[in-house]
Amino acid sequence: MEETPKTEGKALSLLILPNPPSDASFTTFRAAYQPALAQALLEAASQSKYGSKSTLDIALSCPLPFHPAEGLTCRSSIYADAQHAIALLYGLVCFICTNRAIDLQYDNEVNVRIVLVDDSAIWESQELSNIIQLQGPIVNIGTLSRSYRPWSRVYSVESEEGEALLQKFVGTRRELPIYKQAPSFTTERLAGGTIIKQSESQKTQSWGTASSGDHHYHVAVGGTFDHLHAGHKLLLTATALILEPVASHLDPQRRSLTIGITGDALLKNKKYSEVLETWEERQQAVCDFLSAIISFEKPQQAVYQSERYSNEGRNGKAIHHKLANHLSIKCVEISDPYGPTVTDEAITALVVSGETRSGGKAVNEKRREKGWPELDVFEVDVLDAGSPDETASHNHLQDKISSTEIRKRLHAKVSNIA
C-alpha cells in the first residue's frame, strides 16, 4: 500500500464557458468559443515556464435532464451528446494551439482539462446544492465553486449568460465558512463569440432523454496512453462520463474505472521507443488526469490510497488508485487485445474509438464463450479541427494527437542536445 500525493502545476486557471449551440459542430463551437478560448490559452502559455506545466481547466455549462428528487438520470443516456461536445471543444483547443504556436505536449506549455457543469435550475435549491456534490466529469456549479482547486485566475465570457455563471461561481465561493475557504483568485471577462440563445427546453432536449440508457458502475477502456495528449484525454473523459456518480459518501455502491494500459514489452518495436514513457509513467499520467476531472476534493486528497498488485498470469500487474465515494481507478498492464474485459466479469461497459471498434466485438465474443454478459460498447468521436482547407489545422493536428509524432519531436530534441 502506498500514498499517492497529487500536485498541480504552478499556474492553474479556470475558464467557464456558457451553454453550447444547439447545432453542435466545429463551425458553431468555433464561432461561439474561439475568442475567449484563444485568449485564455495564450495567457496560460505565457505563464508557463520550461519544465513546469500551466494548467487550464475548462468548464462547459450544459443543462442536463437530471432530476435529483427522482434519482439521478443514468449518464449513458446523455453520453452521445456529452462526449460530442467535449470532442468538439478539444478539437477547437488543438486548432487554436496549432495556429497560435501554443504547444500542448512538447515543452509542456499548457495542460488542458475539460469538464461539464450542469447549470439546470434544479440546483438553485440551497438545500439540494449543499447535500449533493456530484463527481466529475459532470458537476454542478456548487461542486465546482466549493472545490479546493488553487485557481489563481477565473475567466468568464462577456455575455449575459457568462456573467450569470461567474456570479453563481463567485457567490457560492463567498458563502463558504472561513475555515473552508479555498485559495483566492482574480476574475477576468473575455470576449464572447456568436451563439444563438436557446430556451431551457431546447437545451435539455439536445442532451439526450431522462429515461433511456443503463446504469454502469464498472467501465473499461484500453490503450497505450504514451505522452498523454488531447485524443487520450477525450477517450478517458468519455469513459468517466459513463460511470454513474453517487450523491453522497453514504451511498455504498462501489464503482471502478478499469484502464488497460499496454505493457512495455509490447512497445519495444515502436518508432522512437527510446523516448517512450514507461508503463509506470503512463499509468500515473492516466491516474492524475482522471482524478483531476472526477474528484473536486482538496488536490492532495483526490487519491488517498494506491495499492500495487503483481500476480502471475494475465493482467497480473496493476495499480488500484482509490478515490472518495467508493471509486477506484484500476490501471492494469495488458499483454493481449482483451485485457481485463475477459478476466473481470463485473465490467459492464467498454469505450472504444473508431480504430478499436472491432476490438469491442472481439471482446464480447470472448465473454459469450465464457457465458458472461456482453459489454455495452460506447464509441467516442474522432477529434475534429475544421475542414481540410482551414489553414494548417489538418496538416498539424497529428502533432497534437499522435504519440508517434510527439516522440519524433522529442527524439529530435534529445538528438540535438546530444
Side-chain angles (χ1 to χ4, degrees):
M1 185 181 300
E2 58 191 61
E3 297 298 321
T4 306
K6 178 72 170 66
T7 58
E8 296 281 3
K10 292 182 179 179
L12 182 63
S13 52
L14 170 68
L15 170 61
I16 305 175
L17 294 175
N19 294 293
S22 56
D23 179 17
S25 68
F26 180 82
T27 300
T28 58
F29 266 55
R30 182 182 176 187
Y33 301 131
Q34 180 167 328
L37 189 53
Q39 188 173 344
L41 285 166
L42 285 168
E43 292 192 15
S46 70
Q47 297 174 39
S48 180
K49 295 180 179 179
Y50 183 78
S52 176
K53 281 186 178 179
S54 175
T55 297
L56 175 64
D57 286 330
I58 301 172
L60 175 63
S61 175
C62 48
L64 301 172
F66 287 172
H67 230 295
E70 302 169 5
L72 295 173
T73 302
C74 62
R75 285 190 169 175
S76 62
S77 67
I78 51 89
Y79 170 80
D81 294 313
Q83 69 85 26
H84 182 54
I86 293 172
L88 289 172
L89 207 49
Y90 268 124
L92 182 57
V93 167
C94 291
F95 174 86
I96 292 170
C97 290
T98 294
N99 290 286
R100 299 298 183 98
I102 300 173
D103 214 308
L104 296 174
Q105 293 87 21
Y106 185 44
D107 282 324
N108 293 331
E109 284 192 7
V110 183
N111 173 33
V112 175
R113 306 180 298 213
I114 298 173
V115 296
L116 301 177
V117 176
D118 180 10
D119 189 38
S120 302
I122 190 70
W123 297 112
E124 293 179 5
S125 163
Q126 187 66 39
E127 180 180 358
L128 183 63
S129 184
N130 286 336
I131 294 175
I132 297 182
Q133 299 263 315
L134 294 178
Q135 285 186 294
I138 303 175
V139 295
N140 56 37
I141 198 73
T143 300
L144 188 72
S145 182
R146 293 187 185 94
S147 73
Y148 286 83
R149 292 283 169 86
W151 292 302
S152 59
R153 187 170 301 182
V154 175
Y155 303 102
S156 66
V157 174
E158 287 182 335
S159 68
E160 182 179 343
E161 187 179 356
E163 186 63 24
L165 285 167
L166 178 62
Q167 293 308 316
K168 283 183 182 180
F169 179 88
V170 173
T172 305
R173 195 91 155 187
R174 287 173 177 165
E175 292 171 0
L176 289 173
I178 295 298
Y179 70 93
K180 289 186 176 180
Q181 288 291 337
S184 60
F185 57 86
T186 59
T187 60
E188 184 175 343
R189 294 158 180 81
L190 307 179
T194 303
I195 191 168
I196 299 175
K197 190 173 180 61
Q198 309 165 70
S199 67
E200 195 71 22
S201 61
Q202 284 176 317
K203 288 182 286 190
T204 302
Q205 289 172 2
S206 69
W207 287 83
T209 65
S211 58
S212 62
D214 295 320
H215 292 76
H216 293 287
Y217 298 97
H218 303 282
V219 185
V221 71
T224 301
F225 301 108
D226 180 46
H227 296 286
L228 204 69
H229 54 63
H232 294 140
K233 292 177 181 180
L234 170 60
L235 185 62
L236 292 169
T237 305
T239 305
L241 274 173
I242 299 169
L243 188 71
E244 289 299 319
V246 294
S248 74
H249 67 281
L250 299 177
D251 190 329
Q253 176 65 55
R254 294 194 176 278
R255 301 166 303 137
S256 65
L257 289 172
T258 299
I259 318 298
I261 304 175
T262 309
D264 293 337
L266 294 183
L267 303 177
K268 59 184 179 181
N269 294 324
K270 286 276 189 179
K271 289 184 177 180
Y272 314 108
S273 59
E274 59 271 29
V275 290
L276 203 152
E277 293 178 317
T278 65
W279 186 88
E280 294 282 346
E281 291 171 325
R282 287 179 282 127
Q283 74 82 27
Q284 189 61 56
V286 165
C287 175
D288 288 347
F289 175 76
L290 281 172
S291 62
I293 65 169
I294 291 174
S295 177
F296 287 82
E297 306 288 333
K298 290 183 177 181
Q300 65 271 25
Q301 295 175 352
V303 178
Y304 67 86
Q305 181 180 306
S306 294
E307 295 179 347
R308 187 179 296 268
Y309 299 87
S310 184
N311 302 316
E312 295 293 331
R314 176 187 284 181
N315 309 321
K317 180 179 179 179
I319 300 178
H320 294 184
H321 304 279
K322 294 185 178 181
L323 280 67
N325 292 344
H326 309 289
L327 171 60
S328 294
I329 298 173
K330 301 178 179 180
C331 295
V332 182
E333 183 182 62
I334 57 177
S335 56
D336 60 47
Y338 306 104
T341 57
V342 296
T343 57
D344 186 351
E345 187 178 2
I347 296 171
T348 61
L350 175 68
V351 177
V352 300
S353 64
E355 295 177 344
T356 59
R357 186 185 302 137
S358 60
K361 295 179 180 179
V363 163
N364 276 333
E365 288 178 4
K366 283 287 186 181
R367 289 178 68 94
R368 282 196 300 270
E369 292 174 4
K370 296 169 71 77
W372 290 2
E374 292 186 24
L375 302 179
D376 282 347
V377 179
F378 296 83
E379 189 168 327
V380 69
D381 284 3
V382 175
L383 282 186
D384 182 14
S387 60
D389 60 345
E390 288 206 81
T391 64
S393 60
H394 266 266
N395 294 332
H396 297 290
L397 179 60
Q398 284 300 105
D399 291 349
K400 306 296 183 187
I401 61 170
S402 167
S403 296
T404 302
E405 289 300 317
I406 294 169
R407 290 198 303 272
K408 179 180 178 180
R409 289 190 293 157
L410 287 172
H411 178 267
K413 180 180 178 180
V414 170
S415 299
N416 288 336
I417 293 175

